């Protein structure tokens, strides 16, 4: 499991072994491809990552037209920050500065939302241990791992604030 701890300068230190770092690189590459592909709004993952702000179709479209590109750009910027921290290969020892924590948490959230949406995960199924016999078992394990990583990051941030 990754090691996550708060540093004295307010940064969060995350150590990923080779496999964990490669997994994160692969996941960030995949979601980056989704951001760049211009997937249709009807794609459930796109709907989840870029939800409508209004129930009215007209107001939702106007809002998307107003801020949609900025939201996509912000997500891509956060992704770039994480990808730069991960490096190209090998283990990854990340020192996530306070100014980069939001990017780290945004990317972890987006990855979890994307995977959870593809798997049609519910609150009940999320509480279940992944079944190795389930064809989606590996993806569910990754989803749990990302949740754990996000939870540990938040726990270390909370320690710093106390």
């Amino acid at each position: 499991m990754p090691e996550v701890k708060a540093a004295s300068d307010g940064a969060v230190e995350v150590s990923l072994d080779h496999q964990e770092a490669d997994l994160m690189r692969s996941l960030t590459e995949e979601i980056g491809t989704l951001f760049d592909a211009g997937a249709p709004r009807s794609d459930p993952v796109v709907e989840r990552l870029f939800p409508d702000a209004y129930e009215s179709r007209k107001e939702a479209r106007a809002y998307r037209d107003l801020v949609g590109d900025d939201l996509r750009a912000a997500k891509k910027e956060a992704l770039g920050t994480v990808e730069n921290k991960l490096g190209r290969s090998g283990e990854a020892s990340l020192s996530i500065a306070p100014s980069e924590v939001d990017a780290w948490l945004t990317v972890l959230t987006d990855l979890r939302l994307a995977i959870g949406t593809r798997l049609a995960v519910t609150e009940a199924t999320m509480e279940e241990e992944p079944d190795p016999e389930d064809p989606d078992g590996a993806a569910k394990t990754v989803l749990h791992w990302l949740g754990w990583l996000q939870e540990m990051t938040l726990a270390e941030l909370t320690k710093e604030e106390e």
Side-chain angles (χ1 to χ4, degrees):
M1 292 300 278
E3 184 179 339
V4 181
K5 63 183 178 181
S8 60
D9 63 356
V12 176
E13 305 288 335
V14 179
S15 296
L16 303 173
D17 67 25
H18 188 276
Q19 284 183 307
E20 294 164 337
D22 281 349
L23 174 61
M24 281 297 293
R25 289 181 191 104
S26 175
L27 293 172
T28 58
E29 183 178 331
E30 285 181 39
I31 203 160
T33 299
L34 176 74
F35 290 161
D36 292 337
R41 286 269 326 143
S42 59
D43 181 310
V45 172
V46 173
E47 286 181 16
R48 189 71 174 110
L49 293 175
F50 302 97
D52 285 335
Y54 298 94
E55 289 183 30
S56 156
R57 282 184 146 171
K58 183 178 178 182
E59 289 174 335
R61 179 178 298 274
Y63 181 79
R64 271 195 314 274
D65 289 346
L66 183 65
V67 301
D69 290 341
D70 291 340
L71 181 57
R72 187 174 300 270
K75 287 182 178 292
K76 286 176 70 169
E77 182 179 340
L79 190 60
T81 298
V82 171
E83 288 174 328
N84 287 336
K85 286 286 183 183
L86 288 169
R88 294 185 170 270
S89 63
E91 297 176 356
S93 292
L94 315 171
S95 179
I96 304 167
S99 63
E100 299 167 325
V101 168
D102 282 347
W104 177 251
L105 293 173
T106 294
V107 169
L108 289 174
T109 298
D110 286 349
L111 291 172
R112 292 181 66 216
L113 287 172
I115 294 168
T117 299
R118 287 282 185 246
L119 297 175
V121 170
T122 64
E123 196 172 319
T125 59
M126 191 62 196
E127 291 180 13
E128 299 170 359
E129 284 296 316
D131 179 359
E133 302 300 318
D134 179 355
D136 293 330
K140 288 178 181 174
T141 298
V142 169
L143 184 59
H144 281 268
W145 180 80
L146 289 167
W148 181 88
L149 187 56
Q150 187 175 39
E151 184 179 330
M152 292 299 99
T153 301
L154 289 167
E156 290 302 317
L157 288 170
T158 303
K159 280 183 191 175
E160 269 304 296
E161 293 173 0
E162 292 175 352

